[in-house]
Amino acid sequence: PLAVGGEARAEPRAATRALNAPSMGATMANNGVTCAKIFYDDDYEPYSPCYNGPSNSATCYFQRMKWTTTCGSSSDDDYQRVCWCESSSSEPEPEPGPEPVPGGFFVGDEGASCDATCTAAGGTCGEESLKKTEALNAASTVATMADNGVTCVGIKQATFDDYAPSFYNDADHATCYFQGMKWLTTCGALPVRGKQILQRLCWCGMPPPPSPPSP
């Protein structure tokens, strides 16, 4: 980040050399210095960009000759430098986030639950499965159905079906349903509505691939 100091002890990156009048004013303001006046440094001082005067009414200078700025140049007594400082390499690396759960969407057989569908696919239905299916809206349900070989000629919101998302009729001419009551879907629900037997769209978590054999 850019910081205000007395002497430069960091790499003068492109950030300092690229400063012009507007960006100089904004950068100084971000560091608690108000530039009452801004000039380019026509003396080609190796410690520009810099400023002098009180921080609430300073005279600021940006570097006109971009290649003259150096890290080690000390500013005159009346000036303070603006330096771009690299982060210390001793800072700890950020903790990696959780590994994504492997899996994907599968279409179940007529009347089959997601438990049965995922078991047949070699996976499981669980909390992550319900999150994935509950996140589907009308458009993403149609798209996901299409990815799994189902053409939705109509899309409706299911209200009290604990087996949505689902579809009815032939896969190439289906009426599809997305879940409107997000907390209602369960893995074990059977997609049966009266005499209608539907098919469910299930997200199944899959086991991670086996580790490669040791050399």
Side-chain angles (χ1 to χ4, degrees), residues 42-104:
D42 55 4
D43 291 329
Y44 314 141
E45 297 291 0
Y47 52 78
S48 291
C50 59
Y51 80 97
N52 68 351
S55 60
N56 62 350
S57 183
T59 301
C60 303
Y61 300 88
F62 62 94
Q63 182 59 271
R64 184 183 186 187
M65 307 297 283
K66 305 299 185 183
W67 62 88
T68 61
T69 299
T70 65
C71 288
S73 299
S74 298
S75 59
D76 291 346
D77 291 341
D78 293 337
Y79 294 86
Q80 288 182 260
R81 298 191 64 175
V82 183
C83 309
W84 192 96
C85 303
E86 291 183 327
S87 299
S88 170
S89 59
S90 62
E91 291 182 359
E93 292 291 328
E95 291 293 328
E99 290 290 329
V101 177

Side-chain angles (χ1 to χ4, degrees), residues 93-167:
E93 292 291 328
E95 291 293 328
E99 290 290 329
V101 177
F105 282 99
F106 295 84
V107 170
D109 294 333
E110 288 186 351
S113 69
C114 282
D115 278 334
T117 299
C118 292
T119 298
T124 57
C125 181
E127 287 298 320
E128 188 68 18
S129 306
L130 301 180
K131 290 178 183 178
K132 297 288 189 182
T133 54
E134 288 173 353
L136 295 175
N137 57 21
S140 56
T141 296
V142 171
T144 305
M145 289 285 193
D147 289 342
N148 285 272
V150 178
T151 302
C152 297
V153 296
I155 181 71
K156 298 180 181 180
Q157 177 177 303
T159 51
F160 297 105
D161 296 340
D162 56 0
Y163 49 79
S166 57
F167 71 95

Side-chain angles (χ1 to χ4, degrees), residues 165-177:
S166 57
F167 71 95
Y168 179 68
N169 283 335
D170 295 334
D172 59 349
H173 193 81
T175 300
C176 301
Y177 300 87

